[in-house]
Amino acid sequence: MNQLLPRPRRSVLFVPASNSRAIAKLASLDCDAVIFDLEDSVAPGAKAEARETLRGFFAARGDGGPECVIRINPLASEWGTEDLLAARACKPDAILLPKVDTPRDIHDVDDMLDETDAPPGLRLWIMVETAKAMLNIGPLAEFGRDRAARLDCFVAGTNDLVKETGVLATPDRRYLTHWLMQMVLAARAGGLDVLDGVSNDFRDIDAFSRECEEGAAMGFDGKTLIHPAQIDAANRAFAPSESAVAEAQAIVSAFAQPDNAQRGVIAIDGKMVERLHLEQAERLLTKAGRSRKEALP
Ligand code: COA
Ligand code: MG
């Protein structure tokens, strides 16, 4: 894990940076993170005003609250450089890069952030949404092992993957599943978090809940959302279950006993438990225990 302390990222809500009304609503929402979008959900003519709206929001932001991330336009686009400088000045928790194809795309942003003396705590998230990113997924994940590279999280960009590859988008996501699983595998190899893609049909919450359950079973840390109505289902599906928390507590307590201090493997309720399970249990408990402390401004 690249971040200093694992934080829950069960529900990660996109909000167009141009939509002041939706932004005003955030304080009342129980999502773990918010992605303020300057890219595809903001019309070309509205980019400058959207940056202004973000400056206002972040200037008033207090401590605590959900993790706040800004998605910029690709650096090579006409808005990229201005977006990056504006985002950096806002002091978000992370900047999300869209349409990343190769490691070069991450290097370029890292270089610009270093040139502006961006704090080391400012992390990078990337959208995995192009055919090239899928082909480069291993080298992209490698950045997770280099703290100076800032990379912290993959976000599956399923709408763009469908658009670019021409696969059929079906309710069971059968033609996307292979790529989604590759993202999870690569993220784990790099010690990164990984978030499932959005579900466009925000009125069908039953179908959405099923997709969240599936995403959790596939190993995603959480889901990206487009509408407040999706938050509760994601929080439920991606929270560790009560039984998982109880099991983790039992593992931590067992290894804390003096008799087990020097042991690498023990038995709990007839099951083998190793120190790797202890690490897993501690991580689960840390994530489960971290919750929002303060509301947004
Ligand atoms: N974040 C915060 N609030 C949101 C929201 C979001 N993503 N989406 C909707 N809301 C708010 C609306 O502002 C509205 O608030 P109000 O009651 O104060 O008027 C309320 O939730 C109900 O919204 P609703 O009328 O059901 O939806 P809508 O027609 O206004 O918006 C979308 C539908 C899809 C356009 C909108 O949800 C949206 O823009 N989502 C994010 C899109 C995005 O960021 N895409 C990029 C990544 S894929
Ligand atoms: Mg996209």
Side-chain angles (χ1 to χ4, degrees), residues 13-19 22-23 26 34-38 41 225:
L13 179 65
F14 274 106
V15 56
S18 52
N19 187 342
I23 290 175
L26 292 173
V34 177
I35 300 173
F36 297 86
D37 187 28
L38 286 167
S41 69
L225 317 175

Side-chain angles (χ1 to χ4, degrees), residues 38-40 47 51 71-77 79-80 83 98:
L38 286 167
E39 199 215 8
D40 283 346
K47 304 279 186 195
R51 284 185 211 113
R71 182 166 80 172
I72 63 172
N73 284 278
L75 205 51
S77 73
W79 306 288
D83 279 359

Side-chain angles (χ1 to χ4, degrees), residues 21-34:
R21 194 177 164 94
I23 290 175
K25 209 172 175 68
L26 292 173
S28 66
L29 302 179
D30 188 28
C31 50
D32 287 333
V34 177

Side-chain angles (χ1 to χ4, degrees), residues 14 39-40 71 98-99 127 129 156-161:
F14 274 106
E39 199 215 8
D40 283 346
R71 182 166 80 172
K99 312 287 183 328
M127 298 296 305
E129 57 183 350
T158 38
N159 281 331
D160 270 296
L161 265 178

Side-chain angles (χ1 to χ4, degrees), residues 213 233 287:
E213 301 281 344
K287 262 199 172 182

